[in-house]
Amino acid sequence: MNPHSLFASAAINIGLALVTLTLFSIFKKQPSFAPIYYARRLSNGQQIHFHDEIFSFRRFLPSVSWIPRAFRVTEDEILDSSGLDALVIIRLFKFGIKFFVVCSLVGLVVLLPVNYNGQDVPYQSYHSLDSFTISNITPGSNRLWVHFSCLWILSFYGLYLLYQEYDEILVKRIQQLQKIRHRPDQFTILVREIPICSEHKARGCSVDHFFSKHYPYSYHSYQMVYKEKDLEVLLSQAESIARKIEDLRERPTANKHKREILLLDGSREDAVKISLHEDSLQVFCEKIRQLQHEIVIKQKDLPVAFVIFKSRCGAALAAQSQQHSHPLLWITEMAPEPRDVSWRTLAIPYRILPLYKIGVVLAASLLTIFFAIPVTAVQGIAKYEKLKKWFPPVMAVELIPGLSSVVTGYLPSVILKGFIYIVPFAMFGMAKLPGCISKSKEEIKACNMVFYFLVGNVFFLSVLSGSLLDEIGESFSHPKNFPSHLASAVSAQADFFMTYILTDGLSGFSLEILLPGLLFWDVIKSHTVGRGTEKDPYLYSLPYFRIIPMVSLSVLIGTVYAVVAPLLLPFLIGYFCLGYLVFINQIQDVYAIVYETCGQYWPYIHHYILVAIVLMQITMIGLFGLKSMPAASISIIPLLLLTLMFNEYCKKRFLPTFHHYSIQPVNFLTSESSSTQPLVCSSSL
């Protein structure tokens, strides 16, 4: 990719971002779009103040007032209003800003001049941007020790930031657990695979006998879970009829004074419809009451129960212990909060969950194989100079001035981003199959699946397919130079990832805040089925499964290329700054917080970033080897071992607090109330 293609991509993405953000700043001022851009505030009963004038000129003037407002939001405000999980996403963006600002200073001040002056003879390459990368350094040159030193500096700085973030989020997690220590779910465990009592032929009796015997001083009561698909269907049908009745009663009467006879006929027709719907609703209510009868319910109990204890200590001990010698009986774990429970998955028998997991692995594998096709095609478009040799008809693109720059610079990243957009939703659907007991665990599983999918397909496959296209001719013409050509091809992929970061950041984040899909649906709904009715807020949960893996992939790309191609780093600073502003706005005004895990997403984010640092070090080991610097390659191995040891230390130091419930209070909390109140409360429910 030449500089013209990169400039074309930057110009298009910047232009689209400016247009999109301008439209957002205008639409946000319109009262008719309040259910889209203030969905969360409206659902919480907050009043949104607009200009009183209906046709106020100020409503149609672009503004940047949302930007300073986002900067004024503090972490404590996010923590109080949205919880620690939402704050974790903001901390991820702040980590990216802090890390890549330092990386950019080191890269632009130190590495970029060294790379540019790396050879006495001008470097001949199809990629003119290679003169700013490590590929421009002569093999065996002592200048490579500068890259070696920068690698150590950036690695230690990244590990320091990771430790600092983990430590601070751990403290906030413990403080959050202190605040919710009296919540009922903190005294409750979930029990699965409950056997039937041989004496009374009932699982409820078995639960009471078991916990009364083994936990006589802390056991309080239990609640069985029942399978009621028929009841759910009836309830949904009853709710639908109730909404129809409400719509008929609230039908707008704006045309009352136009045609009185037609109005009377319409009113009579509506009254007849309301009467019929009310009769149907009575029938459904009677069926629901019959299904809710105690005798009928007990016949449909599942081998699942919520067991309540008198103290958090008793609940924690029971949840973290093996209850039976048979590991597939009396399986216990802490119960999620009520709004986090995935009720439909509780009906899946625990013994057949491995079959669901195998199905998910097969489905993810097929999606991975399918995704290899567009990634390879994208790299074919990006390697336009190579394609001209192997497929001459593509030279027709050059007939239109500037079109080749747009095709090679902007089109590949847009196509790739379009295919990537569906991946998180597909993976989230698969993550629901293995039978996780909570929505948060489903999203965490989806985060893992999406992240490793993106690393394997977007990062590795892009590098490998790009390198393969690069080497198809060079290997035959200069077989002795194959290692140096391979190193050049790997580093040359930085220009493609620059365009990817531009597209994902400028276009992606600007579309994220504009919400064009909801705008389009709102316009259609306003002119068809929802005409004249009051709009409800378009309330959706914060999509952790989509945000965390995408941002983590950008961290990985920037980390791997921090030493290889420092010209990429300023793009990442803009990426994280814009993402920070966008998601502050979305968390405050748009997305609903449907559950709270007290920061359990952070250990996975920590792991993703650590994978990026390890991958950076392994990449540099290979590049130094290809650059005839075996001493530098060997000297990186201790750094790699130190990084892995740091990971093991973090697992021992921080991870248990995220996976287990501690009995003793922690002494290093900042507030006096938090440090004096025990984590385990002995009061009864």
Side-chain angles (χ1 to χ4, degrees), residues 159 162 166 603 606-608 610-611 614 640-655:
L159 296 180
L162 275 179
Y166 219 150
H606 172 90
H607 176 72
Y608 302 155
L610 200 71
V611 167
V614 170
L640 181 60
L641 294 177
L642 287 173
T643 304
L644 297 176
M645 291 171 61
F646 169 80
N647 183 41
E648 291 301 317
Y649 172 77
C650 289
K651 286 183 180 179
K652 301 294 183 183
R653 172 65 183 87
F654 300 114
L655 195 57

Side-chain angles (χ1 to χ4, degrees), residues 37-139:
Y37 296 114
Y38 296 99
R40 186 183 178 192
R41 293 181 181 273
L42 291 175
S43 65
N44 292 335
Q46 299 181 20
Q47 294 292 329
I48 310 300
H49 300 286
F50 298 95
H51 296 294
D52 295 333
E53 298 87 354
I54 298 178
F55 296 103
S56 174
F57 183 68
R58 295 178 59 185
R59 286 185 185 173
F60 300 94
L61 288 178
S63 66
V64 294
S65 59
W66 63 277
I67 295 179
R69 172 177 169 267
F71 277 121
R72 287 194 298 268
V73 177
T74 64
E75 289 191 359
D76 290 336
E77 292 175 353
I78 297 174
L79 193 63
D80 293 338
S81 63
S82 304
L84 186 54
D85 292 335
L87 180 60
V88 159
I89 289 181
I90 302 303
R91 292 296 289 257
L92 174 59
F93 283 103
K94 294 179 72 172
F95 173 90
I97 295 172
K98 290 187 287 187
F99 181 61
F100 288 111
V101 163
V102 174
C103 290
S104 296
L105 290 175
V106 173
L108 299 180
V109 175
V110 179
L111 293 177
L112 201 64
V114 173
N115 291 338
Y116 189 75
N117 300 304
Q119 292 189 1
D120 297 330
V121 180
Y123 184 68
Q124 299 296 327
S125 173
Y126 291 107
H127 306 279
S128 58
L129 292 178
D130 281 357
S131 57
F132 300 100
T133 68
I134 196 174
S135 62
N136 198 42
I137 304 294
T138 305

Side-chain angles (χ1 to χ4, degrees), residues 360-473:
V360 170
V361 171
L362 292 176
S365 301
L366 291 175
L367 183 60
T368 302
I369 294 172
F370 169 77
F371 202 81
I373 299 173
V375 172
T376 306
V378 162
Q379 289 304 318
I381 298 172
K383 303 297 179 182
Y384 175 70
E385 295 295 332
K386 301 297 182 183
L387 283 180
K388 286 197 300 184
K389 290 185 176 182
W390 296 98
F391 191 63
V394 301
M395 296 178 65
V397 175
E398 296 180 348
L399 297 177
I400 302 176
L403 182 60
S404 62
S405 298
V406 175
V407 169
T408 58
Y410 179 69
L411 189 60
S413 57
V414 170
I415 295 175
L416 185 61
K417 184 61 181 176
F419 278 98
I420 289 175
Y421 183 77
I422 66 172
V423 171
F425 299 97
M427 292 296 185
F428 186 49
M430 296 178 194
K432 293 182 178 181
L433 296 178
C436 297
I437 66 169
S438 63
K439 301 172 185 176
S440 59
K441 289 185 177 181
E442 292 174 351
E443 287 213 54
I444 289 173
K445 187 180 292 293
C447 282
N448 280 327
M449 295 171 64
V450 174
F451 175 75
Y452 286 111
F453 179 91
L454 294 178
V455 171
N457 287 270
V458 177
F459 182 75
F460 280 112
L461 193 57
S462 293
V463 169
L464 293 176
S465 60
S467 300
L468 179 63
L469 289 169
D470 246 0
E471 296 309 314
I472 290 179

Side-chain angles (χ1 to χ4, degrees), residues 448-597:
N448 280 327
M449 295 171 64
V450 174
F451 175 75
Y452 286 111
F453 179 91
L454 294 178
V455 171
N457 287 270
V458 177
F459 182 75
F460 280 112
L461 193 57
S462 293
V463 169
L464 293 176
S465 60
S467 300
L468 179 63
L469 289 169
D470 246 0
E471 296 309 314
I472 290 179
E474 294 293 328
S475 300
F476 293 103
S477 59
H478 303 90
K480 293 182 180 179
N481 297 332
F482 177 75
S484 60
H485 287 315
L486 182 60
S488 173
V490 171
S491 59
Q493 287 299 103
D495 50 16
F496 168 74
F497 285 117
M498 287 181 193
T499 62
Y500 173 80
I501 293 297
L502 282 170
T503 303
D504 191 33
L506 292 175
S507 299
F509 288 149
S510 58
L511 290 176
E512 167 72 32
I513 200 171
L514 181 64
L515 299 171
L518 285 183
L519 282 173
F520 182 71
W521 171 247
D522 182 73
V523 172
I524 293 177
K525 186 178 178 182
S526 299
H527 291 82
T528 54
V529 294
R531 181 184 300 174
T533 60
E534 185 177 354
K535 295 181 181 180
D536 294 324
Y538 292 92
L539 198 62
Y540 296 93
S541 62
L542 185 61
Y544 301 98
F545 68 95
R546 180 169 59 86
I547 301 169
I548 292 175
M550 293 291 189
V551 179
S552 299
L553 176 66
S554 298
V555 173
L556 184 142
I557 292 172
T559 304
V560 171
Y561 281 95
V563 180
V564 176
L567 200 61
L568 173 67
L569 301 175
F571 295 96
L572 281 163
I573 296 176
Y575 173 91
F576 286 103
C577 288
L578 181 59
Y580 175 84
L581 294 174
V582 167
F583 281 99
I584 285 282
N585 179 85
Q586 300 300 85
I587 289 172
Q588 292 289 100
D589 295 343
V590 178
Y591 288 125
I593 307 300
V594 298
Y595 60 79
E596 173 63 25
T597 69

Side-chain angles (χ1 to χ4, degrees), residues 1-236:
M1 184 184 297
N2 55 45
H4 299 289
S5 299
L6 181 61
F7 293 151
S9 176
I12 294 173
N13 281 292
I14 292 173
L16 288 177
L18 290 176
V19 171
T20 304
L21 294 176
T22 300
L23 291 176
F24 163 74
S25 66
I26 295 173
F27 291 163
K28 194 177 177 70
K29 299 177 183 179
Q30 311 307 315
S32 59
F33 292 141
I36 297 176
Y37 296 114
Y38 296 99
R40 186 183 178 192
R41 293 181 181 273
L42 291 175
S43 65
N44 292 335
Q46 299 181 20
Q47 294 292 329
I48 310 300
H49 300 286
F50 298 95
H51 296 294
D52 295 333
E53 298 87 354
I54 298 178
F55 296 103
S56 174
F57 183 68
R58 295 178 59 185
R59 286 185 185 173
F60 300 94
L61 288 178
S63 66
V64 294
S65 59
W66 63 277
I67 295 179
R69 172 177 169 267
F71 277 121
R72 287 194 298 268
V73 177
T74 64
E75 289 191 359
D76 290 336
E77 292 175 353
I78 297 174
L79 193 63
D80 293 338
S81 63
S82 304
L84 186 54
D85 292 335
L87 180 60
V88 159
I89 289 181
I90 302 303
R91 292 296 289 257
L92 174 59
F93 283 103
K94 294 179 72 172
F95 173 90
I97 295 172
K98 290 187 287 187
F99 181 61
F100 288 111
V101 163
V102 174
C103 290
S104 296
L105 290 175
V106 173
L108 299 180
V109 175
V110 179
L111 293 177
L112 201 64
V114 173
N115 291 338
Y116 189 75
N117 300 304
Q119 292 189 1
D120 297 330
V121 180
Y123 184 68
Q124 299 296 327
S125 173
Y126 291 107
H127 306 279
S128 58
L129 292 178
D130 281 357
S131 57
F132 300 100
T133 68
I134 196 174
S135 62
N136 198 42
I137 304 294
T138 305
S141 173
N142 288 328
R143 291 186 175 95
L144 290 169
W145 288 108
V146 177
H147 298 77
F148 174 83
S149 302
C150 292
L151 174 66
W152 277 76
I153 293 172
L154 297 182
S155 295
F156 278 118
Y157 180 65
L159 296 180
Y160 165 75
L161 286 181
L162 275 179
Y163 182 88
Q164 187 182 47
E165 291 291 326
Y166 219 150
D167 185 61
E168 292 180 5
I169 291 175
L170 175 70
V171 173
K172 293 182 183 296
R173 171 176 169 80
I174 296 174
Q175 291 174 340
Q176 289 293 97
L177 290 174
Q178 293 278 4
K179 293 179 181 179
I180 65 173
R181 65 187 183 274
H182 295 300
R183 211 169 59 185
D185 58 272
Q186 297 295 305
F187 298 82
T188 308
I189 68 171
L190 179 68
V191 186
R192 307 179 78 176
E193 294 300 313
I194 302 169
I196 298 177
C197 177
S198 58
E199 181 179 355
H200 299 91
K201 305 299 180 182
R203 288 191 174 91
C205 179
S206 181
V207 172
D208 190 62
H209 288 171
F210 182 87
F211 286 96
S212 296
K213 177 182 178 181
H214 296 286
Y215 300 90
Y217 302 107
S218 58
Y219 168 68
H220 182 271
S221 60
Y222 72 95
Q223 175 60 57
M224 296 299 299
V225 178
Y226 301 98
K227 185 178 181 180
E228 279 296 347
K229 284 188 176 180
D230 296 336
L231 182 59
E232 292 178 2
V233 173
L234 289 175
L235 284 172
S236 63

